[in-house]
Structure formats: C-alpha cells, structure tokens
Amino acid sequence: MDVAGKVAIVGIGHTVQGELPGRSVEENAVDAIVAALADAGLAKEDVDGLIACKSAQGLGNDVAVGELLGVNPPYAQCLDYGTCNFSLHLAVMAILSGMAETIVMSYGANARTGKVDFGAPLGGVDLATASGLVHIAGPAALALQRHKYLYGTTDEQFGWIAVGQREWAGRNPNAIFRKPLSMADYLATPYLVEPLRRPDVTMISDGGVAVVVTTAERARDMPHTPVYVSGIAEQSGVRGAYNPDNLLRPWLRDAARSIWTKTGLSTSDIDVLYIQDPTAVWSLQMLEYYGFCGIGEAGPFLAEGHTRPGGRLPLNTHGGQLSESYAWGWMHMVEAVRQLRGDAGERQVDGAGVAMYCSSQAFSKAAASILSTDPAVAA
Amino acid sequence: MSALLPDVDDPVAGPFWAAAREGRIAVQRCLTCGRLRYPPLVGCPDCLGRTYEWRDLRPTGTVWSFAVYHRALHAAFNGQTPYTVAVVELDDGPRITGRVLPGAQPVVVGDRVRASFESVTDEVTLIQWQLL
Ligand SMILES: [Zn+2]
C-alpha cells in the first residue's frame, strides 16, 4: 500500500528538556501529550489511538500513560524505547487500516534525575563486557575506528558533526548545550572512548515528547499546516551479532534502498535531514548509507560544511541528542515538523518543504520517514 | 568491587569459559553445516542445526578495530583507564572482542596479536590480546 499523502502530523508537544526532578516518566509523557493535543486543537476525547514508547527503564507504556491521561482509546499499543520513527510507522498503519483515525504518540523519560546507568550491560556478561566494552560509546567507537582505518576519516572531519550541531543549537532556545563549540575547542576536548570525544556522544536529559497523527482529510481542518507522511521504510538487523560486520550496521543500506524505491524520491529532494544520534557515528554512517555521499566519503563531505547552518543539507537543525536534548530521537521529528511549518525561528531553513528522518535502534533496527507539506511530493 | 563477571556455568557459553581457563580459545562448530560461530548460541543461525561441537582455534589474529576507554563507563572499570578493547579477527575466522594487554606501542588496526589467558578469579579467565 502506498502511504504517500494519506496521513499527516497535526500536533507536536513537549515538556522542558533538561532536569525534571521528582517527575515520573508518565507525568512527562502526559504533559507532552497535553501540549501536542493543544497544538492540534484537540481534546483528549478526540483521540482514538494511543501509541506509547517506553523509557530506557521500560516505563511509560500505554497502560501507564493511559491511566494518567484518563482515556480508553479503541486502539492502544506500546513500543520499545528509541522508537519514535517506528511509532509513526505504526500510527500510519493503524490509521490506514481503519483501527484508529487520530492517534497520539508519546515518550517520557527521567533518565537524568533518575540516574539510569547507561554503562550497565543489557544482557548477560560476555567476554566483551567483562573486558570493559560497556556503554553505547564503546561499539560506536569501534565502528568509527574501523571507518577511519578503511577511509582515512580524520578527527576533524568527524568533529564537524558535533560542531555543526552545536552551531544549530545556538539558534534553538530549547537546546540544553548552547555554548559555542569551535573546531579547536572540539579537538582540545579529551577523548571519552577514543576516537569518540564527549561532544560526540548523547547527553542525558529528562522530558516528554508527543506527536498527533491523523488522516489527510481531518488534517485539513486542523490549526496548522499539515505535515504529510510521504514515505516510510524499515529494515531490521535482528540477526544481531551474527550479521557480518554488524558493528558497521550494513543493513542500513537496505532501509535506504527501500525508502528511495517506495517514494521515487532521491537525496536531492531532501531539504532538511534528521538523524537520530546516540553518537555522532550514527550520523556518519547514515549520511553514507542513505546516499547523501558515497560510502567512505562522509568525512570530506562533512568538512565541506554541507550539514552546518548555511549548507545545502542542514542536519539536525535543533542540535540533536548531542546538543539539544536526549529524547531518543523524538525531538528530531518535532523539529522536522517545525521546519516544515516554517516555525523554526532563528534556525529556519528557507524553503524547507521536504524533511527526512533516519533513525535506528542501536544494532538491531532501522527506520526512515519522509515528511512534506506537499501531499503529492511522493505520489 | 563490583566486577563484571560472566556466568561460567551458563549452559551454552560454559565450555567457552572452561576452555579459556585451560588456555584455549574454543568456539562452536555446527555439525550440520560446519560453520564456526561466536559468541556462543544454542543453535546455528545459518542452517538452524542444533547440534554442535567445540573446536579449538589458533590463538592468533589481526586487530579489526579497537577503542580506548579514557573514562570508566561502568564502576567495575574504575582505576583501569586508559584501557583498550579490540575486536580481533582470528586467523581461523571468528572475531573475538577482548582487552588488549598494555604494551609499548599504541594499537593500530591490522596489528597482529596472540591470545593471553588472564585469570581474574579461580573460575574466570579472560582472553586478552598481546601485540606481536
Ligand atoms: Zn549450521
């Protein structure tokens, strides 16, 4: 089934991103839902679907969020953490199948004040973790080191991801890290897990984010310009460690092939690009796999400045998880909508009509969405 | 001390740890398709065969990639930084990730290494990599 132009994002909302001591995951999710519904001009009773995405601790599922929001929508579902893009895809499928007409998707987190230990092994202890390969920065550093070896990528080339995103964050009042970061500053920052420095790795913050999605028909009566879903694609890599070269996530290339084939669009159609970034390595990989530059060429491409303010491929214009906040990629979607609505203030990209959001769930899944104010862009 | 230690009695991975204790690198070999697999897994993800044997591999290989921890990101590694973890492609094929023993030279991709067996408790021996 072709999804192009049939479903639209009509509401976005979020809490303050930062430190929200004493507040539960569900409170943050519900506050964001209230904001997103207000943005869409809807009451909670107008929603017949709820998709809640879990926090890193597994909290904030649909049952817990539904209880606090006080609703019994006909359709309620829960996805794992880090799955904003996947939640959007599920919402599109639920709407197009007639399961629901208007869905609110939510995510809540209190990882910062809740002091979640992101260095704790996720499964049992194997030789790698017992040897000290802990935290997402470890495997990301291994992937980057391999990239450097294969293609000659330099620290400075790679550093343009973090430096560029900080430039964008300086134009974003919601961003937590706004202090200017020059390339000299970046290079002077000590390594965290070499070759990664602290600015290359996500911050940890609290907050909630929500997005309201409905049919194209209903969207036309909503207060804001509808942001249509032009294409969606996913590709899993759930074979995990038994994929050849899984540290390099080669299956991302299949997600790319799928979204370009399904939409008939190409990289030159994309005005603003969003890449979920637990580490900057994810951006390096996805620029290549989605074809914005050749394989192995992301270093020189970044150094040419394309992704920075004023460049031809603005990347993570809110600052991403490196500079704005840690919302598992949910704020990436919010920012894409703001840019397409023309509401991005000082960081507004002129003529932003088509946005792409590429995300992944670490070493197991990839998702891509193309969004546009033109319902026919991919039709 | 909150060391991160493996469960050496794990029904699937146990023989790997037992071999390490005896100074050997042993991985599973599928008896249906013959493929080697690591990390240990109850069945073969290629042919779905459930029978396997443990096969000793040569203790030598090449650094495929590495990362240097300048900060301990888990309390178990406090006081050990900087330390280097490397993915080593064994000469017999499988890639095994472990700690690199501190040496005179910084590690680079492509370095030749040999396994060294470091006993950390009476039961747990970790495979570490010695630069050649
Ligand atoms: Zn087999």
Side-chain angles (χ1 to χ4, degrees), chain B residues 17-49:
Chain B
W17 295 111
R21 224 160 29 236
E22 294 165 8
R24 294 179 289 113
I25 298 178
V27 306
Q28 292 161 299
R29 179 179 169 278
C30 175
L31 289 177
T32 310
C33 74
R35 287 184 178 87
L36 299 173
R37 67 173 180 265
Y38 181 84
L41 194 64
V42 70
C44 174
D46 288 304
C47 74
L48 304 185

Side-chain angles (χ1 to χ4, degrees), chain A residues 220-284:
Chain A
R220 284 190 267 278
D221 302 327
M222 300 283 187
H224 292 286
T225 305
V227 170
Y228 297 95
V229 178
S230 305
I232 56 176
E234 296 184 9
Q235 173 62 49
S236 96
V238 293
R239 210 184 132 109
Y242 304 93
N243 285 306
D245 285 344
N246 201 49
L247 278 170
L248 306 182
R249 311 194 300 166
W251 32 268
L252 284 165
R253 202 189 300 216
D254 300 313
R257 193 176 295 122
S258 177
I259 191 121
W260 299 130
T261 303
K262 282 176 175 160
T263 59
L265 297 172
S266 69
T267 54
S268 60
D269 294 309
I270 305 303
D271 300 318
V272 279
L273 177 63
Y274 297 89
I275 298 180
Q276 188 202 6
D277 50 348
T279 76
V281 179
W282 277 215
S283 302
L284 183 84

Side-chain angles (χ1 to χ4, degrees), chain B:
Chain B
M1 180 60 186
S2 54
L4 280 182
L5 293 175
D7 174 12
V8 297
D9 299 321
D10 181 86
V12 178
F16 169 81
W17 295 111
R21 224 160 29 236
E22 294 165 8
R24 294 179 289 113
I25 298 178
V27 306
Q28 292 161 299
R29 179 179 169 278
C30 175
L31 289 177
T32 310
C33 74
R35 287 184 178 87
L36 299 173
R37 67 173 180 265
Y38 181 84
L41 194 64
V42 70
C44 174
D46 288 304
C47 74
L48 304 185
R50 287 290 170 86
T51 53
Y52 56 86
E53 63 179 1
W54 287 90
R55 182 65 72 93
D56 285 354
L57 303 185
R58 286 175 289 167
T60 49
T62 304
V63 172
W64 184 85
S65 192
F66 67 96
V68 186
Y69 280 72
H70 292 265
R71 224 178 76 195
L73 296 177
H74 186 285
F77 307 107
N78 286 345
Q80 297 180 25
T81 57
Y83 66 83
T84 301
V85 176
V87 180
V88 168
E89 187 161 81
L90 292 176
D91 293 336
D92 288 324
R95 289 181 193 159
I96 294 188
T97 302
R99 185 78 65 93
V100 178
L101 287 170
Q105 310 255 24
V107 180
V108 294
V109 173
D111 274 348
R112 294 287 297 160
V113 295
R114 173 182 294 278
S116 155
F117 297 88
E118 304 293 318
S119 152
V120 293
T121 69
D122 286 348
E123 287 164 343
V124 176
T125 296
L126 298 181
I127 297 170
Q128 300 195 344
W129 303 111
Q130 174 83 59
L131 295 180
L132 292 177

Side-chain angles (χ1 to χ4, degrees), chain A residues 77-91:
Chain A
Q77 196 50 268
C78 174
L79 288 183
D80 208 343
Y81 62 84
T83 50
C84 175
N85 233 350
F86 300 87
S87 297
L88 177 72
H89 297 180
L90 184 61

